[in-house]
Amino acid sequence: MIGFLHRLLLLLFLGTLGSASYSQTNKDKVKQLLEQATKARETYKEDQAIQLYKQVLALEASNLDALYNVGLLISRKGWLLEDTNEPLAIQYHKEALEWAKKTYKLYPNTFEGNVCMAAAIGRLAKYYDTKERVQSAWDIKKYADAAAKYNPSHPGLKHLLAWWNFELSKPTWLERSMANMLFGGLPKGADVKRAIQYMQELIKLNPNYTVYSYDLAKFYEYVGDKVKAIQCLKHVIGLKPVTPEDAPYIEAAKRFLKRLQ
């Protein structure tokens, strides 16, 4: 009996060691994949980064870094296709929303969980009908406000809030009527001046990012400040392309400037 118990305990001990060894191997592999994914993302090899993050999730389904970045990168794929392939862009945005829902379900009390929901809804909102757009305005505010509790100065959140303020400062009469009838009105506090302020803050942080200056030009055009809009566009045109979106934004700025002059 003693011999049997001894062998049993030894097997259990070795099994525990084996499990621990496997677990550590798993953690090492996840760490390695995350490092590779981060490098791919930072060098704009975004499809490669998505696949690497998905490999992480195959090993660790609840990994926040991987969940957040897969959704973020798929959303970017949709954004970069909006002007050239709208159906595919919408497909990517819908996929990004599903990833955002997964992230939020697991991590509702985090910046990542909330900002990915706000961003995914924001990307799809312009394709919605009037009722859905009004609902999305409230949803974006809900998730953006929650995200701001954790990281109020994050550039992605500020960019989102800039556009939320801009779009909510100019809803149509039909949207206002729908909002009043179904939701008791639109969210309060939206202001194009605040949108401009957010974008100016972003440009101070990253003056060489084409998107910020281009967007600010659109805001200035809306408020009738043609001079400042032209200044922003000339700044964009003078920048050197670095990110995948830079070249198309520079070309768009040239067309925008031609229209204003």
Side-chain angles (χ1 to χ4, degrees):
M1 179 65 71
I2 295 175
F4 171 76
L5 288 174
H6 178 76
R7 287 196 301 274
L8 180 60
L9 289 171
L10 181 61
L11 286 171
L12 289 172
F13 176 69
L14 290 174
T16 303
L17 282 179
S19 297
S21 176
Y22 175 77
S23 177
Q24 186 58 49
T25 300
N26 229 35
K27 288 180 181 178
D28 291 343
K29 184 62 175 176
V30 165
K31 181 181 178 183
Q32 181 185 33
L33 287 169
L34 285 173
E35 289 172 352
Q36 292 173 358
T38 299
K39 184 177 180 180
R41 174 171 54 79
E42 290 177 347
T43 54
Y44 306 110
K45 297 173 183 176
E46 298 182 349
D47 285 331
Q48 180 184 347
I50 290 171
Q51 293 309 312
L52 287 165
Y53 283 124
K54 285 183 176 180
Q55 288 180 47
V56 170
L57 293 170
L59 295 169
E60 190 179 296
S62 62
N63 187 282
L64 176 57
D65 192 7
L67 284 167
Y68 172 66
N69 277 289
V70 168
L72 182 72
L73 291 170
I74 290 173
S75 179
R76 271 180 60 80
K77 284 169 71 72
W79 169 44
L80 294 174
L81 287 170
E82 285 180 355
D83 293 332
T84 57
N85 191 337
E86 188 174 279
L88 185 55
I90 294 172
Q91 181 180 321
Y92 280 132
H93 289 326
K94 287 181 177 179
E95 185 180 351
L97 179 57
E98 291 307 308
W99 281 102
K101 288 177 179 178
K102 290 180 184 178
T103 308
Y104 181 78
K105 184 177 180 179
L106 288 170
Y107 300 100
N109 299 315
T110 63
F111 170 80
E112 291 88 350
N114 284 280
V115 77
C116 66
M117 282 296 295
I121 294 168
R123 286 288 177 204
L124 278 168
K126 67 180 179 180
Y127 304 109
Y128 289 158
D129 62 25
T130 300
K131 180 181 176 181
E132 289 174 316
R133 282 201 304 274
V134 173
Q135 177 65 64
S136 71
W138 283 101
D139 289 340
I140 292 168
K141 177 174 172 55
K142 167 190 167 183
Y143 293 115
D145 285 351
K149 294 178 182 177
Y150 302 101
N151 193 349
S153 60
H154 190 278
L157 178 62
K158 283 192 174 186
H159 195 216
L160 175 69
L161 289 172
W163 272 100
W164 184 87
N165 275 275
F166 178 65
E167 293 296 340
L168 264 290
S169 68
K170 57 181 184 70
T172 64
W173 173 85
L174 181 59
E175 287 169 333
R176 288 191 183 278
S177 297
M178 184 73 74
N180 289 332
M181 181 173 65
L182 297 176
F183 304 98
L186 288 164
K188 305 297 182 184
D191 185 352
V192 69
K193 291 181 180 178
R194 189 170 290 111
I196 290 171
Q197 180 184 337
Y198 277 125
M199 207 62 74
Q200 288 172 333
E201 290 173 4
L202 288 168
I203 290 169
K204 286 182 180 178
L205 290 171
N206 191 352
N208 295 322
Y209 188 41
T210 55
V211 177
Y212 296 157
S213 292
Y214 182 89
D215 287 352
L216 183 56
K218 295 191 75 168
F219 295 176
Y220 279 136
E221 181 194 29
Y222 178 72
V223 299
D225 197 332
K226 187 176 176 180
V227 172
K228 287 185 179 178
I230 288 173
Q231 288 174 348
C232 289
L233 294 170
K234 286 182 175 179
H235 175 68
V236 173
I237 293 167
L239 293 172
K240 180 181 178 181
V242 177
T243 71
E245 57 268 28
D246 285 338
Y249 266 82
I250 289 170
E251 291 305 311
K254 291 176 181 177
R255 296 191 296 271
F256 193 171
L257 181 61
K258 186 176 181 180
R259 178 166 61 80
L260 289 183
Q261 286 181 326

